[in-house]
Amino acid sequence: MTKILFVVFFLFFSTSSFANDLLWEYGDSPMIPLEYKTPFVLTSWNIYKGGYEGLYEDLHQLVQVSDFMLMQEFLLNDEQLSLVHANEEMHWALAKSFENAGEWTGVATMSNWEAYESLPIRSPGAEPITGTPKMSLISKFKVGTGELWIINLHALNFNITHEDFKEQVSHILSMVSTYSGPLIFAGDFNTWSDKRRVYLLKKTRDIGLIRVDLESPMGIFGKTLDHIFYRDIRVLKAEVLTDIETSDHHPLQIHFEL
């Protein structure tokens, strides 16, 4: 009985989307509706915790040209806080994964508009060696009388059987399954095996999402890890920013309208 109660307690707090201690927000952007038929730019990038020289210069430039910036492995250190404070007219939200030496890391979403709701989602499973979870962040924006939901996800990586990866993807998509409006689902999905990619494509297709046709092979398996999926938007332009090399990932960028 004690063991069962412990498991229930752990699952509740590890997957709760409303735990305030999982979310950090900053900025002074307006909370106003987005407009239809207006071009927007969204960039998704795993920034490798700022480990490469020149990262902050590239990040600053991308923030300036992006209406939405989805970052994985964002590290809330002095350098990235300086970037945030230099762009405080924008809205910054960090879904916190874990803290190391006083610095939080996780997924962060920057936007030129304040989301009316930001939901941090902790993965049900964790990385096998470090025991650290991966995070997702759902940001909800008003669009006229409707909404746009943007999901920023960093998938579990070192799970050889893929079961934790599948559970994480299924969990986050189940949370948006009752929403049928415009949606963008992007991030580092760690699809380093064909099984992972096939599963991800099936689950996203089941809720009507289309994958942006971008490939950025990397790592020892030469697989594309980063993806952007969408529904009920028009993609005007899509590209991998291969000229940016200050992370082990290249940024993905789309121009779109509602």
Side-chain angles (χ1 to χ4, degrees):
M1 182 66 179
T2 302
K3 183 177 180 180
I4 294 175
L5 289 174
F6 172 79
V7 171
V8 171
F9 178 87
F10 172 78
L11 288 175
F12 176 81
F13 284 99
S14 64
T15 62
S16 172
S17 16
F18 306 100
N20 292 331
D21 60 340
L22 297 182
L23 181 68
W24 176 90
E25 292 183 283
Y26 185 85
D28 192 29
S29 58
M31 190 182 291
I32 58 176
L34 282 67
E35 297 183 1
Y36 290 104
K37 297 185 178 180
T38 298
F40 300 103
V41 178
L42 179 143
T43 306
S44 179
W45 191 19
N46 183 322
I47 62 174
Y48 195 59
K49 297 188 178 71
Y52 282 36
E53 185 176 355
L55 177 281
Y56 297 103
E57 289 78 5
D58 286 339
L59 194 55
H60 177 76
Q61 292 180 10
L62 285 175
V63 164
Q64 295 304 309
V65 301
S66 301
D67 296 294
F68 305 93
M69 182 83 185
L70 280 56
M71 293 156 281
Q72 301 85 46
E73 295 196 21
F74 190 88
L75 184 63
L76 205 58
N77 59 9
D78 290 340
E79 289 177 297
Q80 293 188 43
L81 274 172
S82 295
L83 175 72
V84 170
H85 293 149
N87 297 277
E88 60 182 11
E89 73 280 6
M90 302 167 180
H91 180 246
W92 298 80
L94 170 69
K96 300 185 291 186
S97 175
F98 65 93
E99 185 181 17
N100 182 32
E103 298 174 348
W104 282 98
T105 186
V107 298
T109 297
M110 180 281 300
S111 57
N112 285 332
W113 301 266
E114 183 177 353
Y116 79 85
E117 188 171 17
S118 298
L119 299 177
I121 314 296
R122 179 176 285 167
S123 61
E127 298 292 9
I129 298 175
T130 61
T132 56
K134 285 291 197 291
M135 298 300 295
S136 305
L137 179 62
I138 302 176
S139 302
K140 301 179 182 181
F141 302 89
K142 293 291 186 181
V143 184
T145 57
E147 299 177 0
L148 168 66
W149 289 20
I150 295 179
I151 308 173
N152 180 0
L153 177 140
H154 191 190
L156 289 162
N157 192 13
F158 300 106
N159 178 242
I160 303 302
T161 66
H162 312 307
E163 292 307 312
D164 284 347
F165 164 81
K166 291 178 179 180
E167 187 177 9
Q168 181 187 9
V169 171
S170 177
H171 176 66
I172 191 72
L173 292 181
S174 70
M175 297 190 68
V176 302
S177 61
T178 58
Y179 169 70
S180 59
L183 176 70
I184 297 175
F185 184 32
D188 175 4
F189 292 85
N190 276 314
T191 45
W192 46 263
S193 78
D194 292 337
K195 286 184 178 180
R196 285 177 172 233
R197 178 162 175 148
V198 168
Y199 182 83
L200 176 64
L201 292 177
K202 180 185 183 305
K203 296 298 289 187
T204 51
R205 188 169 55 245
D206 286 347
I207 64 167
L209 298 184
I210 300 169
R211 179 181 176 273
V212 178
D213 188 17
L214 293 174
E215 300 293 343
S216 182
M218 61 175 293
I220 60 175
F221 298 109
K223 301 293 187 180
T224 293
L225 307 183
D226 306 287
H227 306 273
I228 299 177
F229 300 89
Y230 67 93
R231 181 179 67 200
D232 293 346
I233 66 169
R234 181 180 294 111
V235 176
L236 308 173
K237 179 182 178 182
E239 60 183 329
V240 181
L241 304 181
T242 55
D243 58 322
I244 296 181
E245 299 180 333
T246 48
S247 170
D248 58 344
H249 293 246
H250 292 302
L252 304 186
Q253 189 174 87
I254 61 170
H255 297 239
F256 70 96
E257 65 181 18
L258 294 157

